Amino acid sequence: MIVCVAYYHLVTERRPKLSFAMLAVISLLVSISSYAQIPGMTATKKWDLNGYIQYLSTATLLDDDANALDHLILQRFNYEYRFTSQLRFNAGMRNRLLWGDSADIPGYADAIEYDFGYWDLSTNWLDDNGMIGNSQFDRLYIDWSNNNWQSQFGRFRINWAVNTLWNPNDIFNSYSIYDFDYQERAGSDAILLSRKLGFASAIDVVYNPNSDSDLDSYASRYLFNNQGWDVQVLAGKSRLDYVLGVGFAGDIKGAGVRGELSWFEPSQEEWENESLDTSLVTSLETDYRFSSIANWVGRIAVLYISDPDSVENTGQFLNFPRTARTLSFTRFTYYADFGFDISSLNRLTLSSSYYDDGSYFLGLSDAHSLSDDWQLMAVLQRFDGSSKSLFGKTPGTLIFAQLIWSF
């Protein structure tokens, strides 16, 4: 890939560390409990186990630098055990084997191993001769629910997004729009308490600790439905910022319309000798599904950030984790995509984005269902722009080939 090894408070933090031995023990216990119940001997199945195995090949073709080829084999499992109808345990684990040109870069293995959560649930069990093996839990939590109440504790995904692309309201689990091969997205180490208030109405409270207490996050959200429109308001603290936000989703003459807005107010004047400023982040998007056999769907979106992120190069933007405040590096960013079915088993999607510094992205993806359990996908991503733009300084093309078997 266009590589930038991002340390971001790497290695120096002291956090609870999950060793490889602990990973192996937890995996073994999950497997044992999965097979402990003999089919036909119990009235109700208390557990579920599913996942997939993926092979991904990535070719990085840089216009002004050496090309690179990387490989990834990823095995994932999702496990759930139901103690009662109200109490359940969930675990999701990624086991990755990487090799290729990027694996030889100094510090790359440390970047792969690094865990951004409060608990360090990632470990490298192989780092030798250009091969890196890593295991990580991105889901590990207890869920309790009773009528209108729900609580979760551990590592889980907190999805406060309304939009399908850029999410200023998703202050706990933001992600890059170009990261297509991590469908589940990362989780957060947190405590959540939720109360249903009626039809499409609820209130959520979340506390998300950090090893540095200055970076603790917490927030509450109230959501409701008014005349067919879903609306949410939220308030709290996201790392170094106090946050106020609002989001909405509805329909206008058959077109889906969604929007999110968040106001970030720094909790302190500076951090690590850099001054902190207020920022308004808002995004509006719409999509329309055309009536046709080919299932034509178009989507457009715009993102505005009053105080955009300062980024040095393309690799830093693509590889650093995004936050709801740092979704882009320019004030205005525009996006459009269009997808249709070539056949009942094959779908093609064209996408593009434009940044107001002159950078642009062009994308093409072709997803083909080989059978009920097998899928093949080819993805092409082009990053380019004017000579003074961020992408234009290091233009390049990424080509991905992905094969997935689900179980």
Side-chain angles (χ1 to χ4, degrees):
M1 297 182 67
I2 301 176
V3 178
C4 172
V5 179
Y7 282 96
Y8 194 74
H9 303 305
L10 222 61
V11 187
T12 57
E13 296 185 33
R14 291 183 175 273
R15 298 174 296 156
K17 176 69 174 177
L18 189 68
S19 67
F20 176 62
M22 294 174 66
L23 282 169
V25 169
I26 293 176
S27 300
L28 180 61
L29 290 175
V30 168
S31 300
I32 291 174
S33 63
S34 298
Y35 292 101
Q37 299 185 49
I38 302 174
M41 297 297 291
T42 55
T44 303
K45 185 179 178 183
K46 288 184 171 292
W47 57 270
D48 286 307
L49 179 66
N50 59 62
Y52 57 83
I53 298 176
Q54 165 191 308
Y55 168 73
L56 178 68
S57 177
T58 306
T60 304
L61 310 178
L62 300 179
D63 292 6
D64 304 316
D65 205 342
N67 299 330
L69 181 63
D70 294 299
H71 306 273
L72 165 68
I73 294 178
L74 183 149
Q75 181 273 325
R76 179 181 184 86
F77 75 74
N78 303 301
Y79 175 77
E80 178 176 279
Y81 186 83
R82 293 173 287 276
F83 298 98
T84 68
S85 61
Q86 299 177 347
L87 184 65
R88 60 189 175 92
F89 165 76
N90 288 80
M93 186 179 189
R94 307 167 74 207
N95 299 298
R96 293 178 289 171
L97 180 65
L98 308 96
W99 71 97
D101 295 314
S102 296
D104 291 325
I105 298 175
Y108 186 80
D110 292 330
I112 292 296
E113 183 180 36
Y114 189 71
D115 190 311
F116 287 90
Y118 180 77
W119 294 289
D120 190 349
L121 304 183
S122 174
T123 189
N124 283 352
W125 39 266
L126 175 65
D127 183 7
D128 185 46
N129 293 325
M131 298 190 72
I132 301 171
N134 174 267
S135 292
Q136 180 187 37
F137 282 97
D138 58 6
R139 302 289 190 276
L140 196 67
Y141 65 95
I142 293 289
D143 182 289
W144 175 85
S145 60
N146 182 18
N147 296 325
N148 294 325
W149 290 93
Q150 181 185 20
S151 64
Q152 291 178 307
F153 171 76
R155 175 167 295 183
F156 53 93
R157 181 154 183 80
I158 307 167
N159 187 8
W160 284 7
V162 174
N163 293 354
T164 61
L165 196 70
W166 290 303
N167 305 116
N169 285 178
D170 204 0
I171 59 177
F172 296 101
N173 293 130
S174 299
Y175 60 92
S176 169
I177 64 173
Y178 305 117
D179 186 7
F180 71 92
D181 67 327
Y182 191 6
Q183 303 92 328
E184 299 82 12
R185 307 299 181 190
S188 294
D189 297 337
I191 302 172
L192 176 146
L193 182 64
S194 180
R195 165 78 162 134
K196 293 181 182 179
L197 302 176
F199 171 72
S201 178
I203 185 168
D204 302 324
V205 179
V206 173
Y207 173 62
N208 171 216
N210 191 284
S211 56
D212 186 336
S213 60
D214 288 338
L215 300 177
D216 284 356
S217 299
Y218 48 83
S220 61
R221 177 183 68 153
Y222 171 57
L223 59 153
F224 60 95
N225 183 276
N226 183 33
Q227 297 182 354
W229 286 79
D230 293 321
V231 182
Q232 67 179 24
V233 291
L234 61 93
K237 178 177 176 288
S238 175
R239 298 176 65 83
L240 293 171
D241 295 294
Y242 296 115
V243 184
L244 291 174
V246 61
F248 62 88
D251 179 276
I252 299 179
K253 294 184 177 181
V257 179
R258 296 170 293 275
E260 297 182 29
L261 180 149
S262 291
W263 174 263
F264 296 89
E265 182 72 28
S267 60
Q268 48 191 286
E269 294 183 356
E270 64 176 31
W271 174 258
E272 295 185 343
N273 299 320
E274 291 189 11
S275 61
L276 302 176
D277 300 312
T278 60
S279 183
L280 173 68
V281 183
T282 183
S283 179
L284 181 67
E285 70 176 45
T286 181
D287 59 34
Y288 189 82
R289 185 179 302 273
F290 298 87
S291 178
S292 66
I293 298 177
N295 191 25
W296 298 71
V297 179
R299 175 176 57 168
I300 58 175
V302 60
L303 171 70
Y304 172 77
I305 303 179
S306 64
D307 183 36
D309 190 23
S310 178
V311 180
E312 296 180 358
N313 55 61
T314 305
Q316 181 183 357
F317 177 69
L318 295 180
N319 293 285
F320 264 81
R322 299 292 94 201
T323 70
R325 179 176 176 142
T326 63
L327 297 172
S328 180
F329 53 88
T330 60
R331 283 181 175 266
F332 283 97
T333 310
Y334 307 91
Y335 178 91
D337 67 29
F338 199 76
F340 59 93
D341 294 336
I342 300 176
S343 70
S344 59
L345 300 176
N346 196 0
R347 184 166 183 82
L348 187 70
T349 302
L350 306 172
S351 58
S352 65
S353 56
Y354 179 79
Y355 300 77
D356 61 14
D357 74 333
S359 297
Y360 66 83
F361 157 83
L362 298 174
L364 172 67
S365 67
D366 185 8
H368 184 73
S369 177
L370 302 176
S371 68
D372 291 342
D373 302 325
W374 290 87
Q375 177 176 289
L376 178 65
M377 176 180 286
V379 177
L380 185 147
Q381 296 181 338
R382 173 67 182 178
F383 298 90
D384 207 337
S386 62
S387 59
K388 294 183 179 180
S389 68
L390 185 73
F391 291 171
K393 294 177 182 178
T394 55
T397 301
L398 303 179
I399 302 175
F400 303 89
Q402 182 189 68
L403 180 65
I404 298 180
W405 172 65
S406 302
F407 60 87

